[in-house]
Amino acid sequence: MHFDTVKQQEQAYLMPTYGRFPAALVSGKGATAVDTEGKTYIDFTAGIGVNALGYCDPDWTKAVAEQAATLQHISNLYYSPVMTQLAERLCKASGFSRVFFGNSGAEANECAIKLARKYGTQTRGEACNQIITLNNSFHGRTVTTLAATGQDAFHQHFTPFTEGFSYADTNMESVRATANAATCAVLIELVQGEGGVCPLEPAFVQELAAFCKERDILLMVDEVQTGIGRTGKLFCFEHYAIQPDVVTSAKGLGGGLPIGACLCTERLGNVMNAGMHGSTFGGNPVVCAGALAVLDKVLRPGFLEDVVEKGAYLRGRLEAMDAIEEVRGMGMMLGAVLKKDNAKAVAAACVPNGLLVLTAKTLLRFLPPLTITKEEIDQGLAILQRTISDL
Ligand SMILES: *Cc1c(COP(=O)(O)O)cnc(C)c1O
């Protein structure tokens, strides 16, 4: 099938919710994607931080294919050894005690929000159900996670939104002014991804953690984008020397299959009881087999050090480019402010030149597969440089 046919079908049959780049991708290997016309692209996007091991990693593919051929789904009314293995692996590697599996980042955050409300109301009374999130955050597209998202642009069209959220700036004066006796939790991203790749200041995060601890306010970190090695640690909170009460994970965890995870510490392990939460597909065996293959690789000695090194390499090379004003982010989650402020035009112009790259707000954004090689980084950057020069 050719691109024009795909585009026509899209325009005829899909709700027009996405502005798409003009490429229909059909296969891939490592950090290279291939389109309907056989054209190849270096991929600096990893499906928005999803394909942690790149396209069709052989071990991941084998694990998923074998599980699909063995048992593709069971209801959560039965035990699943693949799910329990993943839960143990994830808890032991992260230091958390228990996990709930859903199917997306938004669902992982929904679980965290429910857990916080249940914990707040059962420990401090019915009124203790308010959650503080940060301005410029992004927490998902469900009606509740849109409400949690601290950007007015996301609070349009779908009223009424879920109540119970208030928004603070990334400083303690603002958090203190926003918190009150009804606050049960604070939900933050440590690097605001969709908001423009903005890492929070360690001093602010540490003070926030101490503030939450003092008042028994749950500190919940949305690691949907930052988790699973993206910033050079399994979870980004490890860079900040804090211990969150709840962490959510999704994007990179399944290596390309839909999964969300909400992790909590021991003392919160029994806040959610039987019947209070659930998901038909959550913890699906095929998806869990994929996630186990991802963790196997990411937790291998040297893997995360390699992410740090390649991230520093990519960052250094970006910083050396004339067209780039500033590079922000951590590990392999990077954003570049362009001197000409033309990130959208650059990202679009890269596509016909054979490079897939993202934007976030006004930045050019880089979320390559964690397994990308330096040679592939060089190839991608050569295309980027040429594209910027030709614009
Ligand atoms: C992508 C993202 C989400 C939403 O994840 P979905 O899987 O699209 O529901 C939530 N939080 C953060 C920080 C994200 O980057």
Side-chain angles (χ1 to χ4, degrees):
M1 201 188 278
H2 284 287
F3 175 69
D4 290 339
T5 316
V6 179
K7 191 172 172 186
Q8 277 162 21
Q9 272 181 341
E10 158 100 18
Q11 285 171 346
Y13 296 110
L14 278 143
M15 289 193 199
T17 54
Y18 302 104
R20 299 188 200 268
F21 292 109
L25 305 173
V26 292
S27 68
K29 194 75 206 154
T32 301
V34 184
D35 75 7
T36 40
E37 328 301 301
K39 180 182 168 64
T40 63
Y41 302 83
I42 295 288
D43 181 10
F44 282 171
T45 75
I48 317 194
V50 167
N51 300 327
L53 307 180
Y55 294 109
C56 305
D57 171 84
D59 297 319
W60 178 89
T61 306
K62 183 164 179 277
V64 168
E66 279 179 2
Q67 185 59 48
T70 306
L71 183 78
Q72 84 277 29
H73 174 79
I74 56 167
S75 123
N76 274 312
L77 298 171
Y78 305 94
Y79 290 90
S80 161
V82 203
M83 194 194 317
T84 54
Q85 277 175 74
L86 176 62
E88 179 178 24
R89 198 82 210 276
L90 199 52
C91 285
K92 286 193 167 157
S94 64
F96 287 94
S97 294
R98 287 179 195 272
V99 61
F100 174 84
F101 290 119
N103 313 286
S104 65
E107 281 179 70
N109 287 337
E110 289 269 353
C111 179
I113 291 161
K114 285 172 80 170
L115 191 155
R117 287 179 166 186
K118 172 93 188 320
Y119 177 77
T121 53
Q122 88 185 12
T123 53
R124 302 219 307 277
E126 276 307 310
C128 186
N129 56 21
Q130 302 287 305
I131 297 173
I132 295 175
T133 63
L134 296 178
N135 285 317
N136 198 45
S137 57
F138 180 78
H139 297 297
R141 296 281 193 166
T142 62
V143 171
T144 295
T145 54
L146 280 175
T149 293
Q151 300 186 52
D152 282 343
F154 288 94
H155 301 160
Q156 313 295 324
H157 316 299
F158 314 116
T159 50
F161 285 97
T162 307
E163 290 173 33
F165 295 95
S166 48
Y167 316 99
D169 291 328
T170 53
N171 65 70
M172 281 313 295
E173 298 75 71
S174 178
V175 171
R176 282 206 181 83
T178 312
N180 57 41
T183 308
C184 63
V186 175
L187 173 64
I188 60 172
E189 294 160 274
L190 290 168
V191 183
Q192 296 183 327
E194 304 305 311
V197 197
C198 308
L200 300 190
E201 288 292 333
F204 165 62
V205 173
Q206 281 156 16
E207 216 182 317
L208 175 64
F211 173 86
C212 287
K213 193 166 182 195
E214 215 174 271
R215 282 155 209 247
D216 199 17
I217 293 170
L218 299 183
L219 178 61
M220 311 204 294
V221 180
D222 178 346
E223 296 236 23
V224 167
Q225 192 162 148
T226 52
I228 316 301
R230 178 54 56 190
T231 69
K233 300 270 191 195
L234 181 64
F235 285 109
C236 187
F237 75 80
E238 298 168 56
H239 291 292
Y240 282 84
I242 55 163
Q243 177 54 61
D245 299 292
V246 173
V247 154
T248 56
S249 175
K251 290 190 167 90
L253 178 57
L257 291 174
I259 187 169
C262 177
L263 290 148
C264 72
T265 56
E266 183 66 41
R267 78 190 172 99
L268 300 174
N270 293 309
V271 171
M272 301 287 250
N273 312 130
M276 281 181 186
H277 199 42
S279 163
T280 299
F281 290 115
N284 168 277
V286 177
V287 174
C288 286
L292 273 168
V294 169
L295 287 182
D296 264 349
K297 281 228 162 135
V298 170
L299 295 170
R300 245 176 229 177
F303 186 96
L304 291 172
E305 288 80 357
D306 205 36
V307 171
V308 172
E309 200 204 307
K310 287 183 296 189
Y313 177 74
L314 174 57
R315 187 185 190 118
R317 290 222 38 202
L318 288 169
E319 280 169 346
M321 287 172 70
D322 284 340
I324 291 174
E325 170 98 35
E326 182 203 343
V327 181
R328 298 202 289 256
M330 291 170 90
M332 296 242 260
M333 177 175 181
L334 296 173
V337 180
L338 301 180
K339 285 182 186 153
K340 285 193 181 161
D341 198 18
N342 58 348
K344 289 222 158 69
V346 169
C350 280
V351 177
N353 291 340
L355 176 68
L356 307 179
V357 62
L358 300 159
T359 60
K361 292 279 164 73
T362 59
L363 280 77
L364 207 53
R365 178 164 56 144
F366 302 82
L367 293 170
L370 304 180
T371 51
I372 194 169
T373 62
K374 276 193 181 160
E375 292 69 37
E376 288 164 323
I377 292 175
D378 287 341
Q379 284 171 40
L381 288 174
I383 298 173
L384 178 64
Q385 181 62 70
R386 181 156 53 81
T387 304
I388 289 175
S389 306
D390 289 352
L391 260 186

